[in-house]
Amino acid sequence: MFPTADSETEDITQGTSLNRKTSLLSNERDSSESSQVAKQNNYRESTLNMLIKELVICIALALTTYGALHNAPTRLSKVPQPVRFFYSDSVVTDWYTGQLSNALSSMSSEDVSFVMYYAPWDAESQFVRGEFEKAANILSDRVHFAAINCWNPGSECRLQHNKIPSWPVLVAYTVTSRGVLYKGPRNAESMVNFLELVMRPLEKISNTEDLVNLLSICDAVAVGFTPLGGKSRSYNIWYNVALKSYEFDPIGEICFGVVTSEELASDLGVGNLPNARLMLWNDTKEYKSEDTNQSWNETFLANWVLDSFTQPVARIIPMWKKSFNFNRYADGNPMLILFTPLNPLYEQLPSYALLREVAMEYYNCKNNTSNQWTSELIKLQQVKRLLYQKKNFLKFCQDYKIKKPVKKPSPQYRKAVISHNNKYPWINDTQKNPKTGMVNFLLKQGMAISKFIESSNDNSALWSTLGFLENCGESSSQSLPAEKSFYEKYERCQSFEEQLNNDLEMEQEDVQTTMLPYDDDPLSAENLWHDNVKHFCRRMQFANKISPPVAPSKLTSGNVSHIHGLSCDTNYTLYIIAVDSLRNYHFAEALGVDIKNKKDMTAVVILDSKHESQYVLSEEYSAKSVRDFIYNFTQKKLKRTLRSYVDDAKHTHYFGSLGKTEPDGKNESAVHIIDLTTQTFREVVRTPGTVTLVALCGGGCRALVSLALVHATRVLRACGVRVQAARIDALRHDLPWQYTAHAHPTILVFPSHRGGEAESRAFPSSERVSGSGVVALALRSLGAPTHLRVSLALCRHPKLSSEKTACLKDMRDLVTTAISRNLKYWRRTEVKELRDSLFGRLQHLHDVALHLSLFHITDLKQNNEKQKTLLQSLDILSKNWDIDESLLRRNAKPTPITR
């Protein structure tokens, strides 16, 4: 207890009295008083010290609390200064500090800009950087390429776009529309093709021939009928629809055209403007809306085009979600996959175009109202493809380089450029061309083909007016003409193209004007035309570096299988798919197709998931071979193709070696496990006089399975049995149907005699794989003499006498069973030679049974006389065990003898 004020006052008072004079006669009193004062002083000092200590503790606690509450924030390392992602001399403008407003300001003065929003640490951004710069080198004179660092903390781009899920983000901007997100493959050629579509999203249709040209090279043609008047709002909407569609169709499978002439629209049967029609391979769909003013907008039109689009051949571009690309086709129906280079820079891909013709023929049912429309469209596309295959772009570009500029190009020179470039010029006026009846039919009547056919009583007269098709094929529209006839009549086909270009070859008379000469004007029509040709040649040379043009093989002699409407005669649907073999060659390698060693890296595969089989086209890809391939598949005449290891699969990992069947070690006592392939499987399991143990694994075999094979092989070899161990990756190497395993791993044992493959045995899938289990399975596949010899050797290993006794009992039971079975066969047969052979076998079996009955567990020691006698009887039984198979074939009544 701390002293109170009263006590302290009393002490002070007492302390004051002690300073007075004391009596010398009272010594005891003075001593007691002095001691009491000392105690009080000591108590006061201790109390004061305690107060000071508590005060110090309180001050320290207060300072600590104050410091904790007012502590400075943790120091962070400074963000590293951004550096250039592209080189300073690159054609790509690199805004590496994230100056978004400056980048957008520079892009506003460009017609087309392509922007890459990147993060410098991202691996995908680092990969796309090289492809992005390649594309910039090709289109730098037409497109502004920019890259913006949108990850740098504190930058303008990061503050406005801080929730980007993945890098990089590629966007194309035009001065008249908002950005178009690029979702296609991130390689240079695909980017260039995408930008070419963005620069020219619409093809102006000035006459019917322009539309026929689009129909001959495109999977579908979307035509917008939008007159140019006033502010041209309807035209701008259709223009934005074409741009928007390229976000979902980056390779341009849908071609967009526009008809601005009301007169041409009227000739094509379109009355109300604006309007839109989608021309497919088997149908023409018209955009219908109750209220044109409200529904003619980008959202409705874009959704209508994408939802209505169908194509006979699905062009799959696997990227980061491969399973989703193939998911809609994996419904149990078979699928035909064409692996071929699909270089998007070429205007036409003959290999793909051929497959499209075959698919249209396969799906074109005869009872369909658009049957004749599709048949004629097939012919038109076939003519276009064959003419395109004859073009030599590289030679044209080489010849063009050495030509000097001329004041006025000759008609022949202009014709060569137009023919090789395969583009119709932009014609401002609309022309009626009465010379092509087919054009008028396809376009005027093809828009409503079903109604036209239903209303027409005599269609033969209409089809006979298709004059220009008669120059390139047979007049019959009921079946596809053989491709060989097209090659033979190529000159007549070429005359058709010349006829189409006659109106473009007319000489223009010189007119004196006040305009500058075109050689001094870089924006003159002639100079722009030359610049376009140079750009075309630069693009073709770049495309040739990636992959040269690929064309199907020419037809050989023989009849072509007609598959017209074959899909209607089967109860399943054959999906037809095309995949780029340059970028996705690993898909073909996973199917066992060595695509890199195929001609033009082109192969055709049919996958039948319902029957777990696949078929590979063995011949070269041509119009005849692919039709025969489909026809034979529907008739179930194809032989199943077994997948196997692909040596050139550098980026596709497989288990096992290169399929070597010879051991590579020098130690003869070591156990070598052979890695099998589809080709070496039968050769190994049919090794004469050798028992083969094969492990079927789903991928790499586990250590437990390999150890079981090694243990069983060593035990059997120690017993004098010739045995070899092997394994195979059943997921990468297909085997015949009888060896298809339902669970992995599965152990198969193949006996040593000739019928070993047919009499193979499988390890139970419910049991755990072990060395002793594999040995027991192998014993069941051996003949009785070998089985007894191995069992005798195995009876030595147990340590317990009871186990040895049980082992000898099993041997006696085996001999008794063999005697009973062979005695039954001897009684049932009537062939004298067979009865004599069985009688001799029975005699030796009885000798073995006699020696075995006298055998004891103590006789299992080596060099035992009884054991030697038993082994000698087994040797004699082995020599007389085999029976001539010809005796069994001459015997009609008894069943085959099993060992």
Side-chain angles (χ1 to χ4, degrees), residues 559-603:
N559 297 327
V560 179
S561 298
H562 293 278
I563 58 174
H564 188 84
L566 195 58
S567 63
C568 305
D569 300 333
T570 57
N571 56 356
Y572 57 83
T573 300
L574 177 65
Y575 295 116
I576 301 180
I577 302 171
V579 179
D580 185 9
S581 60
L582 288 176
R583 301 291 177 180
N584 305 283
Y585 59 88
H586 50 281
F587 282 91
E589 291 175 349
L591 297 176
V593 180
D594 192 0
I595 193 67
K596 292 186 178 180
N597 291 328
K598 288 282 188 179
K599 183 179 180 294
D600 297 329
M601 291 188 67
T602 301

Side-chain angles (χ1 to χ4, degrees), residues 155-168:
S155 64
E156 185 180 359
C157 184
R158 178 69 178 272
L159 294 176
Q160 295 192 22
H161 307 285
N162 57 355
K163 295 183 179 180
I164 298 179
S166 62
W167 309 92

Side-chain angles (χ1 to χ4, degrees), residues 217-232:
I217 61 177
C218 301
D219 290 339
V221 179
V223 183
F225 301 89
T226 58
L228 293 177
K231 297 182 180 179
S232 304

Side-chain angles (χ1 to χ4, degrees), residues 79-252:
V79 178
Q81 293 296 326
V83 296
R84 286 188 174 275
F85 196 61
F86 291 84
Y87 293 110
S88 57
D89 58 347
S90 174
V91 295
V92 180
T93 304
D94 189 6
W95 304 93
Y96 60 94
T97 59
Q99 316 97 299
L100 182 61
S101 59
N102 294 339
L104 296 177
S105 176
S106 65
M107 289 186 293
S108 62
S109 60
E110 303 290 342
D111 292 336
V112 180
S113 300
F114 196 40
V115 182
M116 172 182 172
Y117 297 90
Y118 67 89
W121 52 264
D122 180 59
E124 187 71 12
S125 298
Q126 296 172 8
F127 167 76
V128 176
R129 171 174 52 185
E131 299 296 319
F132 191 78
E133 192 160 12
K134 289 180 183 178
N137 292 330
I138 300 298
L139 296 175
S140 59
D141 58 337
R142 301 193 172 201
V143 179
H144 173 69
F145 284 81
I148 304 176
N149 183 358
C150 212
W151 177 82
N152 186 29
S155 64
E156 185 180 359
C157 184
R158 178 69 178 272
L159 294 176
Q160 295 192 22
H161 307 285
N162 57 355
K163 295 183 179 180
I164 298 179
S166 62
W167 309 92
V169 178
L170 302 174
V171 184
Y173 296 94
T174 63
V175 294
T176 58
S177 64
R178 55 183 177 272
V180 181
L181 185 63
Y182 176 68
K183 301 178 181 179
R186 292 171 176 177
N187 50 61
E189 60 271 23
S190 298
M191 294 180 191
V192 171
N193 178 68
F194 170 75
L195 293 175
E196 293 282 356
L197 296 173
V198 171
M199 287 188 291
R200 192 175 179 180
L202 295 178
E203 290 285 344
K204 183 180 179 182
I205 300 175
S206 301
N207 48 47
T208 55
E209 294 171 358
D210 293 342
L211 189 51
V212 169
N213 180 64
L214 292 177
L215 286 171
S216 62
I217 61 177
C218 301
D219 290 339
V221 179
V223 183
F225 301 89
T226 58
L228 293 177
K231 297 182 180 179
S232 304
R233 178 178 176 275
S234 59
Y235 177 88
N236 292 332
I237 291 176
W238 185 246
Y239 179 89
N240 292 328
V241 168
L243 285 178
K244 186 66 176 179
S245 67
Y246 295 139
E247 287 190 359
F248 309 95
D249 179 24
I251 58 178

